[in-house]
Amino acid sequence: MTSVKVRLYTYRATCSGTYPLVFQVIQHRVKKVIFSSYHLPAECFDKKSGHVVSRRSHKLKDCDEINSQIDGICKKLQLTIDILERRESEYGASDVVDLYKSFKESCRVKAYMEKLTVQFEQEQKYATLNSYKSTLHRIQKFSGKKELLFSDITPRWLNNFITWLKKSGVKDNTVNFYCRVLRATYNRAHREGIEGAISDSPFEAVTFGTVKTAKRAIDGEAIKRIAHAKVKNDRHMELARDLFLFSFYSRGMPFIDMACLRYKDIIGDAIYYNRHKTGQPMRVKLVPQINNLIEKYRNKGKYILPILHVCDRGLYSQYRTELRKFNNSLKMLSSALDLKVPLTSYVSRHSWATLAHNDGAPLSVISQSLGHTSEKITDTYLKALDPVIVDSLNEQMSFKYF
């Protein structure tokens, strides 16, 4: 049984005869102390109730405020104990104090998001890490010098943040992206019992979704032109071309997953890996086109493709640098081939999904092939169908029922 008691720390008297107000966390006769910012004379503290009282000898003007603070801290400490109890594992008084102090720090949005980014980097979830870093950067620019707390995030604050982003020239889908990352952060903080992240989420009062974007897929003829492009005289463009094709032939494998592919992920006639974004296990059969690219770039390191070169340190910054190089080289390749849709790291994935859909593959199969957690996500890939296909279908229907 763990208890919390409010006491005056009589071992540390000040020159004026006051004592620090402390909170004792006691479990199995082990006591841990949390110091408050208050110092009080012994006459003004009621040990039985654990509250401050005003005496004739010492009149305190802010008794109600101090008692409110005492009640709030006791409530937070009890919440911390409840969280540890739910974990169903052994803990001590020091664990309660450590977790409480971490929660106290984490009520600041910046500190909490930075803690998450460290976790994402350790887990090598680089895409998620970048999403949180870019969102935090925007939040800090909007908030200025003011330290944002979770309790500051209200429907009004969110609407002001959205308005500021749009006035800054941020596109609607990017605005929605920042809001989704912040909502995920807020919900996670609430689940962890962070102060200020309440169950009545402010995001429920704010509407944001996805705006239809320009077409990202290219047709089969463009894929063939890329595969046979003469790029031998440009090493960077050649690598970008090969990585684009590797992604396409592996069912639209994202760049981050390609970067982290290791030789030990090849088992038999397939590659086995977990998607960095969702953690979903994936299996890709080694078709001849993939095998050719693996052999072309075979090396003595642990990574299959020449993207990451440092084994353990600096992987995130290296990934960001290589992704930027990849997209710049794809832009040059698009220009060289005079493609109607500019190539990016996403185009191979969207193209695979669209071409599979055009060939009659069911939505459920495409969704599983891409490693999506929901068919709704896959549906957004396919909404911008090639107008030629729609026109052709309409002509068939017109002649059929004429």
Side-chain angles (χ1 to χ4, degrees), residues 105-139:
E105 175 73 10
S106 294
C107 68
R108 298 186 298 143
V109 175
K110 178 176 180 289
Y112 186 75
M113 292 188 76
E114 285 177 342
K115 183 181 75 171
L116 291 180
T117 59
V118 171
Q119 180 181 328
F120 294 142
E121 184 162 17
Q122 290 172 344
E123 296 171 351
Q124 294 189 4
K125 293 183 176 179
Y126 300 125
T128 307
L129 168 60
N130 185 57
S131 299
Y132 276 68
K133 277 195 168 185
S134 59
T135 302
L136 178 57
H137 174 70
R138 289 289 182 176
I139 291 171

Side-chain angles (χ1 to χ4, degrees), residues 338-363:
D338 196 25
L339 298 178
K340 295 179 181 178
V341 177
L343 298 179
T344 68
S345 59
Y346 291 101
V347 171
S348 59
R349 187 168 175 80
H350 283 257
S351 299
W352 189 92
T354 302
L355 291 171
H357 180 68
N358 294 346
D359 284 347
L363 181 64

Side-chain angles (χ1 to χ4, degrees), residues 38 42 90 121 138 160 172 186 198 223 227 370:
Y38 299 109
E90 290 292 327
E121 184 162 17
R138 289 289 182 176
N160 289 339
D172 287 343
Y186 190 95
I198 59 177
I223 296 290
L370 294 172

Side-chain angles (χ1 to χ4, degrees), residues 175-343:
V175 170
N176 296 336
F177 164 78
Y178 290 138
C179 289
R180 287 195 298 273
V181 172
L182 182 55
R183 180 177 62 186
T185 303
Y186 190 95
N187 291 342
R188 182 168 183 162
H190 169 63
R191 289 194 300 271
E192 294 181 4
I194 302 300
E195 179 185 354
I198 59 177
S199 57
D200 189 12
S201 173
F203 292 86
E204 293 176 3
V206 179
T207 302
F208 54 91
T210 302
V211 180
K212 189 175 180 180
T213 57
K215 182 181 175 185
R216 285 180 170 181
I218 55 178
D219 59 25
E221 286 303 314
I223 296 290
K224 290 179 181 178
R225 287 178 61 196
I226 294 170
H228 295 95
K230 305 294 184 184
V231 291
K232 289 289 185 182
N233 59 334
D234 191 319
R235 182 171 57 87
H236 295 294
M237 195 182 296
E238 181 180 10
L239 176 60
R241 188 273 311 271
D242 290 345
L243 292 177
F244 181 91
L245 292 173
F246 189 99
S247 172
F248 180 80
Y249 296 137
S250 58
R251 307 199 310 263
M253 186 182 294
F255 184 79
I256 179 60
D257 294 329
M258 288 196 301
C260 295
L261 281 183
R262 300 159 298 179
Y263 286 108
K264 69 178 185 178
D265 296 327
I266 300 175
I267 304 173
D269 64 347
I271 297 174
Y272 294 83
Y273 71 98
N274 292 328
R275 280 201 66 198
H276 272 72
K277 185 174 182 180
T278 63
Q280 187 164 338
M282 301 291 292
R283 175 188 177 277
V284 175
K285 184 177 174 58
L286 289 171
V287 296
Q289 293 85 348
I290 294 179
N291 269 324
N292 291 340
L293 289 170
I294 291 175
E295 290 306 316
K296 179 176 180 178
Y297 292 101
R298 184 168 289 280
N299 61 83
K300 295 181 180 180
K302 69 175 182 177
Y303 295 113
I304 293 175
L305 297 169
I307 301 173
L308 302 178
H309 308 288
V310 179
C311 290
D312 294 307
R313 293 179 300 172
L315 287 180
Y316 172 69
S317 59
Q318 192 174 168
Y319 155 73
R320 293 296 304 163
T321 300
E322 293 303 320
L323 177 59
R324 187 163 53 250
K325 286 182 184 177
F326 180 49
N327 280 318
N328 287 339
S329 295
L330 285 179
K331 187 176 181 181
M332 294 171 61
L333 182 61
S334 304
S335 178
L337 296 178
D338 196 25
L339 298 178
K340 295 179 181 178
V341 177
L343 298 179

